[in-house]
Amino acid sequence: METKDIIIIGGGAAGLMASCAAAHVLKKRGSVLVLEGNAKLGRKLLATGNGRCNLTNLNVSPAHYHGDVTAIQDLLHEYTPEAICAVFREMGLVTKADSEGRVYPQNQQAAAVLSALRWDAEKYGVSFSEEHTVSKIEKVKNGFTLICTDGTQLFTKQWKTLSGTRAPANAVLLADGKPVYKESGEVQFTDTGISGICVFGLSVYAGEFFALGTIRNKKYASLAVQLDLLPDMAYQDVLDYLLEMTKLYPARAAGDLLSGLLNMRLGYMLVGAAGIAQSEPAVKIKAPQLKKLASLLKGWRLDITGTKDFSAAQVTAGGVPLTELDPHTMASKQAPGLYLAGEMLNIHGDCGGYNLHFAWASGITAGKSAAYRCLKEEKR
Ligand SMILES: Cc1cc2nc3c(=O)[nH]c(=O)nc-3n(C[C@H](O)[C@H](O)[C@H](O)COP(=O)(O)OP(=O)(O)OC[C@H]3O[C@@H](n4cnc5c(N)ncnc54)[C@H](O)[C@@H]3O)c2cc1C
């Protein structure tokens, strides 16, 4: 278990800015770690303003926000657009406003904003862990314990022949045989199990299961994943296709039966799993075997035996919801030591740079407040 003074969940706009603000206050007298679920920090930030990042607006005022706006009036008063631009200028980022007051980096590249934040954070000693999704936060005596999954990979039965194979799929996580979570996307087969975008969402719950024996706080005894490898076809369509192929190509080897439908390596694997010899002429495949094969294609069940490195970390400050916060510090009233910032709060702005403005302002406030709390506790 790794212990940090401040852990920031999410390396997006608010989290990165919070990390810089906290690190500036701490001046390396405490540790700051950013945990980001994605493989790369600031992925959304890079997409903002069509890749140009409209980072604030000279017309910022409460009138451009919706939700619990009264609570953030002081915050907007303190962090004016000029103040935010000055923060970025100190990081080396020159900004420029257009005729509508929308502010962009001078070079019109969102990547420059991300780099400025990252370099500033690194300079002040912030560390980053990408591909770490926090799945659970528990209050402990002196702070919080964060449960996170490291990597995306789920360990299942191994098929070396499948290593490197990719396929689109619908995946269902089964706990004690019951569906608890669904995800769609690409599945990648590895030397030790399955990985990929589709599996990533599942791994969050699998991480909790293998650490605590629970999923969303409920106890379970076993975990499996069921893959639908032909999500665009109904079971009957798959069966009809298989029957059609056996009639069209009666002499074709069974192993090649799925070559027009599925990654060939996966096809061979599933033909074998359906109890059909690869070299068997298609015409000799029995109806129950074809049905078994169709069932596997629509619901291939793999027992999960573990996840890639499971890790936990302890923190003395972190992040929390606007009536439940002190908007001057972004501190949770219910869980001392927890701070919230950015999009997760009940505030959204108009288009034109207002949302990022709030992410920066709340991020700075949360980061600074968490750091001051750390320093105060250190003195006790
Ligand atoms: C296409 C697009 C363009 C936009 N353009 C603009 C614009 O030009 N100007 C503007 O003001 N606003 C814009 N916005 C809105 C703006 O991007 C958001 O308001 C802003 O990113 C919010 O910042 P945030 O840090 O709260 O959230 P995010 O930027 O979403 O960051 C949250 C981060 O936390 C990570 N995360 C979430 N859960 C976990 C977990 N459990 N464990 C670990 N990591 C986790 C996420 O992967 C993410 O990286 C745009 C939004 C989109 C989608």
Side-chain angles (χ1 to χ4, degrees), residues 8-16 35-38 40-45 47-50 52-56 104 132-135 148 204 341-344 350-360 362:
I8 294 169
I9 304 171
L16 287 172
L35 295 174
E36 169 53 49
N38 282 326
K40 287 213 160 49
L41 294 168
R43 209 165 71 171
K44 198 198 283 180
L45 192 56
T48 56
N50 287 322
R52 296 188 300 144
C53 186
N54 177 193
L55 57 91
T56 181
Y104 295 89
H132 276 69
T133 296
V134 175
S135 56
C148 41
V204 173
E343 205 168 62
M344 68 191 328
D350 294 339
C351 286
Y354 300 101
N355 284 306
L356 280 173
H357 182 91
F358 178 68
W360 313 131
S362 58

Side-chain angles (χ1 to χ4, degrees), residues 152-156 173 192-195 199 202-203 206 225 304 306-307:
T152 64
Q153 183 166 336
L154 298 179
F155 294 146
T156 61
L173 190 69
T192 48
I194 53 172
S195 178
V199 175
L202 309 184
S203 70
V225 63
I304 303 172
T307 61

Side-chain angles (χ1 to χ4, degrees), residues 3-9 18-19 21-23 26 30-34 126-127 314-319 337 339 366-375:
T3 302
K4 297 282 178 190
D5 295 308
I6 296 179
I7 294 186
I8 294 169
I9 304 171
S19 76
L26 290 177
S31 50
V32 181
L33 169 70
V34 178
V126 174
S127 48
Q314 199 164 49
V315 62
T316 53
Y339 298 80
K368 272 188 179 173
S369 309
Y372 284 126
R373 181 186 166 95
C374 276
L375 295 177

